C-alpha cells in the first residue's frame, strides 16, 4: 500500500490497505499458513495511516481525518499522525482541534517549525496574539530560514497595533 501511495497510485494503495483490513477482520488463526497476518496481526493502525495519507493527498480531508482518528484510537502516537491531523483541521479552519493536535505532536516529540507555525496561525485566528507570537518565535528558533515564522510574528504584532514592530 505504501509503495503504491509513494508512486501516486492512490486507488491501488487504498485497495491494498482495504484488503489487509478485510483479511484482518476475517482472520482465523488456524487457517494462517505463512505468518503474514500473524506477523502484522495488530497493524490496522498502519493501514489506516496509509489510507489517511492517500485521502489527504487527494484532498479528501474529512475522510483523511476519519482514518487518522482511527490511528489515534489504536495507538496514541504513530509517525506524524497528530501533525497530519493538525494540517487537516487547518484546512477546515477548526482552530480548537488544530491546537489539540499541535500539542499532541509536540508532546510525542514531533516538534518542528511547521507545527509551531500551524499552532501560531490557530492562535492568530482566535485573536490570541501573545500566544501566537510565542509559537512563531519558537518556530523561528527551530528554523531561522522559515519566513512563515517572521510573517506570523509581523501578523501578531499588527493584531496588537504594534505596527513599527510588525514592519521590523
Amino acid at each position: 500500500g505504501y509503495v503504491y501511495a509513494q508512486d501516486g497510485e492512490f486507488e491501488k494503495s487504498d485497495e491494498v490497505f482495504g484488503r489487509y483490513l478485510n483479511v484482518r477482520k476475517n482472520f482465523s488463526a488456524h487457517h494462517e499458513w505463512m505468518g503474514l497476518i500473524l506477523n502484522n496481526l495488530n497493524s490496522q493502525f498502519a493501514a489506516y495511516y496509509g489510507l489517511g495519507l492517500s485521502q489527504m493527498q487527494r484532498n479528501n480531508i474529512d475522510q483523511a481525518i476519519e482514518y487518522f482518528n482511527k490511528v489515534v484510537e489504536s495507538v496514541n502516537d504513530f509517525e506524524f499522525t497528530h501533525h497530519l491531523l493538525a494540517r487537516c483541521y487547518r484546512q477546515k479552519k477548526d482552530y480548537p482541534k488544530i491546537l489539540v493536535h499541535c500539542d499532541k505532536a509536540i508532546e510525542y516529540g514531533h516538534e518542528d517549525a511547521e507545527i509551531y507555525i500551524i499552532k501560531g496561525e490557530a492562535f492568530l485566528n482566535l485573536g490570541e496574539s501573545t500566544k501566537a507570537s510565542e509559537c512563531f518565535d519558537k518556530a523561528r528558533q527551530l528554523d531561522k530560514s522559515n519566513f512563515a515564522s517572521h510573517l506570523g510574528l509581523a501578523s501578531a504584532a499588527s493584531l496588537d497595533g504594534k505596527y513599527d514592530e510588525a514592519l521590523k
Side-chain angles (χ1 to χ4, degrees):
Y2 287 113
V3 172
Y4 281 129
Q6 187 70 30
D7 289 342
E9 297 185 53
F10 300 115
E11 289 180 19
K12 286 182 180 179
S13 173
D14 290 355
E15 180 185 330
V16 170
F17 286 127
R19 263 191 281 156
Y20 167 81
L21 292 169
N22 191 43
V23 168
R24 174 61 184 92
K25 182 174 64 176
N26 297 314
F27 173 71
S28 174
H30 69 281
H31 289 118
E32 178 68 26
W33 299 318
M34 296 164 75
L36 181 61
I37 293 295
L38 288 177
N39 289 336
N40 296 287
L41 186 61
N42 294 310
S43 297
Q44 301 93 305
F45 66 90
Y48 288 130
Y49 186 81
L51 288 165
L53 287 173
S54 174
Q55 294 304 315
M56 192 174 176
Q57 287 294 323
R58 291 184 276 174
N59 209 32
N60 298 328
I61 299 305
D62 290 329
Q63 238 179 333
I65 288 170
E66 184 180 324
Y67 286 127
F68 290 141
N69 278 324
K70 287 182 180 195
V71 173
V72 172
E73 288 169 13
S74 298
V75 290
N76 287 328
D77 178 36
F78 179 70
E79 297 286 328
F80 289 90
T81 307
H82 289 290
H83 208 297
L84 295 170
L85 277 164
R87 286 185 193 172
C88 288
Y89 285 118
R90 179 194 213 181
Q91 286 191 31
K92 295 181 68 65
K93 300 179 185 202
D94 189 334
Y95 306 115
K97 286 186 180 172
I98 292 170
L99 295 174
V100 166
H101 291 290
C102 285
D103 288 342
K104 285 288 186 185
I106 293 165
E107 176 185 335
Y108 290 124
H110 304 293
E111 180 179 45
D112 62 8
E114 183 190 19
I115 204 69
Y116 282 105
I117 288 168
I118 294 170
K119 187 175 180 180
E121 289 172 354
F123 278 128
L124 271 181
N125 281 290
L126 293 170
E128 298 185 41
S129 59
T130 302
K131 290 180 181 179
S133 290
E134 291 169 3
C135 292
F136 292 126
D137 192 47
K138 183 68 175 179
R140 187 179 57 177
Q141 290 171 25
L142 290 169
D143 182 0
K144 295 192 185 319
S145 66
N146 190 317
F147 293 109
S149 59
H150 297 282
L151 182 60
L153 284 166
S155 297
S158 180
L159 189 64
D160 286 340
K162 300 176 184 174
Y163 304 114
D164 289 337
E165 187 178 322
L167 287 171
K168 188 170 46 167

Short mmCIF file of all heavy atoms in Angstrom, two decimals, residues 24 28 43 58 61 74 82 87 89 111-112 125 127 141 150 159-161 166:
data_model
loop_
_atom_site.label_atom_id
_atom_site.label_comp_id
_atom_site.label_asym_id
_atom_site.label_seq_id
_atom_site.Cartn_x
_atom_site.Cartn_y
_atom_site.Cartn_z
N ARG A 24 -7.84 -9.04 7.93
CA ARG A 24 -7.66 -8.96 9.39
C ARG A 24 -8.99 -9.15 10.10
O ARG A 24 -9.08 -9.86 11.11
CB ARG A 24 -7.04 -7.61 9.76
CG ARG A 24 -6.95 -7.32 11.24
CD ARG A 24 -6.07 -8.35 11.94
NE ARG A 24 -6.06 -8.15 13.36
CZ ARG A 24 -6.89 -8.72 14.23
NH1 ARG A 24 -7.83 -9.52 13.81
NH2 ARG A 24 -6.79 -8.49 15.52
N SER A 28 -8.67 -15.97 10.93
CA SER A 28 -8.86 -17.17 11.73
C SER A 28 -7.48 -17.80 11.92
O SER A 28 -6.85 -18.22 10.95
CB SER A 28 -9.81 -18.14 11.02
OG SER A 28 -9.88 -19.35 11.73
N SER A 43 -1.77 -4.50 13.07
CA SER A 43 -1.25 -3.38 12.30
C SER A 43 -2.34 -2.58 11.58
O SER A 43 -2.05 -1.84 10.66
CB SER A 43 -0.22 -3.88 11.27
OG SER A 43 0.87 -4.45 11.91
N ARG A 58 -5.32 13.38 -1.92
CA ARG A 58 -6.39 13.65 -2.89
C ARG A 58 -7.34 14.73 -2.40
O ARG A 58 -8.39 14.96 -2.98
CB ARG A 58 -7.15 12.36 -3.20
CG ARG A 58 -6.26 11.40 -3.97
CD ARG A 58 -6.99 10.17 -4.36
NE ARG A 58 -6.96 9.24 -3.24
CZ ARG A 58 -7.61 8.09 -3.20
NH1 ARG A 58 -8.37 7.73 -4.20
NH2 ARG A 58 -7.51 7.30 -2.17
N ILE A 61 -10.33 15.62 2.81
CA ILE A 61 -9.90 15.94 4.17
C ILE A 61 -10.77 15.24 5.22
O ILE A 61 -10.24 14.70 6.21
CB ILE A 61 -9.89 17.46 4.39
CG1 ILE A 61 -8.89 18.12 3.41
CG2 ILE A 61 -9.53 17.81 5.83
CD1 ILE A 61 -7.48 17.57 3.45
N SER A 74 -6.23 3.69 18.08
CA SER A 74 -5.49 2.44 18.26
C SER A 74 -4.19 2.64 19.03
O SER A 74 -3.87 1.89 19.93
CB SER A 74 -5.16 1.82 16.91
OG SER A 74 -6.32 1.49 16.21
N HIS A 82 -0.59 13.11 14.54
CA HIS A 82 -1.14 14.35 15.10
C HIS A 82 -0.74 15.56 14.25
O HIS A 82 -1.53 16.50 14.09
CB HIS A 82 -0.68 14.53 16.55
CG HIS A 82 -1.34 13.57 17.48
ND1 HIS A 82 -2.67 13.65 17.81
CD2 HIS A 82 -0.87 12.47 18.11
CE1 HIS A 82 -2.98 12.67 18.62
NE2 HIS A 82 -1.91 11.92 18.82
N ARG A 87 -2.75 19.54 10.27
CA ARG A 87 -2.83 20.08 8.89
C ARG A 87 -4.25 19.96 8.34
O ARG A 87 -4.73 20.86 7.66
CB ARG A 87 -1.88 19.32 7.97
CG ARG A 87 -0.44 19.64 8.15
CD ARG A 87 0.34 18.90 7.09
NE ARG A 87 1.76 18.89 7.35
CZ ARG A 87 2.62 18.18 6.65
NH1 ARG A 87 2.20 17.41 5.65
NH2 ARG A 87 3.90 18.22 6.93
N TYR A 89 -7.12 19.76 10.01
CA TYR A 89 -8.03 20.70 10.68
C TYR A 89 -7.71 22.15 10.31
O TYR A 89 -8.59 23.01 10.34
CB TYR A 89 -8.00 20.51 12.20
CG TYR A 89 -8.76 19.27 12.62
CD1 TYR A 89 -8.12 18.22 13.27
CD2 TYR A 89 -10.12 19.14 12.36
CE1 TYR A 89 -8.82 17.08 13.65
CE2 TYR A 89 -10.82 18.01 12.73
CZ TYR A 89 -10.17 16.99 13.38
OH TYR A 89 -10.86 15.86 13.74
N GLU A 111 8.25 17.78 17.28
CA GLU A 111 8.35 19.23 17.34
C GLU A 111 9.21 19.73 16.19
O GLU A 111 10.34 19.30 16.02
CB GLU A 111 8.99 19.58 18.69
CG GLU A 111 9.19 21.03 18.96
CD GLU A 111 9.80 21.26 20.33
OE1 GLU A 111 10.77 20.56 20.69
OE2 GLU A 111 9.31 22.16 21.01
N ASP A 112 8.63 20.61 15.39
CA ASP A 112 9.38 21.25 14.32
C ASP A 112 8.78 22.63 14.08
O ASP A 112 7.78 23.00 14.70
CB ASP A 112 9.39 20.40 13.05
CG ASP A 112 8.02 20.16 12.44
OD1 ASP A 112 7.03 20.76 12.90
OD2 ASP A 112 7.93 19.36 11.49
N ASN A 125 -5.92 33.31 14.57
CA ASN A 125 -7.32 33.29 14.17
C ASN A 125 -8.28 33.31 15.36
O ASN A 125 -9.43 33.70 15.20
CB ASN A 125 -7.60 32.06 13.29
CG ASN A 125 -7.12 32.28 11.88
OD1 ASN A 125 -7.69 33.07 11.14
ND2 ASN A 125 -6.03 31.62 11.52
N GLY A 127 -7.57 35.22 17.84
CA GLY A 127 -7.33 36.55 18.40
C GLY A 127 -6.39 36.56 19.59
O GLY A 127 -6.34 37.52 20.34
N GLN A 141 13.12 30.00 16.12
CA GLN A 141 14.28 29.41 16.80
C GLN A 141 14.64 28.06 16.18
O GLN A 141 15.81 27.73 16.05
CB GLN A 141 14.00 29.23 18.28
CG GLN A 141 13.91 30.52 19.06
CD GLN A 141 13.40 30.30 20.48
OE1 GLN A 141 13.55 29.22 21.04
NE2 GLN A 141 12.79 31.32 21.06
N HIS A 150 8.46 34.58 10.50
CA HIS A 150 8.62 36.05 10.51
C HIS A 150 7.30 36.73 10.14
O HIS A 150 6.90 37.72 10.76
CB HIS A 150 9.73 36.47 9.54
CG HIS A 150 11.07 35.96 9.93
ND1 HIS A 150 11.83 36.50 10.93
CD2 HIS A 150 11.77 34.90 9.45
CE1 HIS A 150 12.95 35.82 11.05
NE2 HIS A 150 12.94 34.84 10.17
N LEU A 159 -1.78 42.69 14.80
CA LEU A 159 -3.05 42.46 15.50
C LEU A 159 -3.11 43.26 16.79
O LEU A 159 -4.18 43.73 17.19
CB LEU A 159 -3.20 40.96 15.80
CG LEU A 159 -4.54 40.49 16.33
CD1 LEU A 159 -5.64 40.70 15.29
CD2 LEU A 159 -4.47 39.01 16.70
N ASP A 160 -1.96 43.45 17.42
CA ASP A 160 -1.89 44.24 18.67
C ASP A 160 -1.71 45.73 18.42
O ASP A 160 -1.56 46.51 19.36
CB ASP A 160 -0.73 43.74 19.54
CG ASP A 160 -1.03 42.41 20.19
OD1 ASP A 160 -2.22 42.05 20.30
OD2 ASP A 160 -0.07 41.72 20.60
N GLY A 161 -1.69 46.13 17.15
CA GLY A 161 -1.50 47.54 16.82
C GLY A 161 -0.06 47.99 16.93
O GLY A 161 0.23 49.18 16.93
N ALA A 166 5.80 45.29 13.67
CA ALA A 166 5.39 44.44 12.54
C ALA A 166 6.27 44.74 11.32
O ALA A 166 6.69 43.83 10.61
CB ALA A 166 3.92 44.66 12.21
#
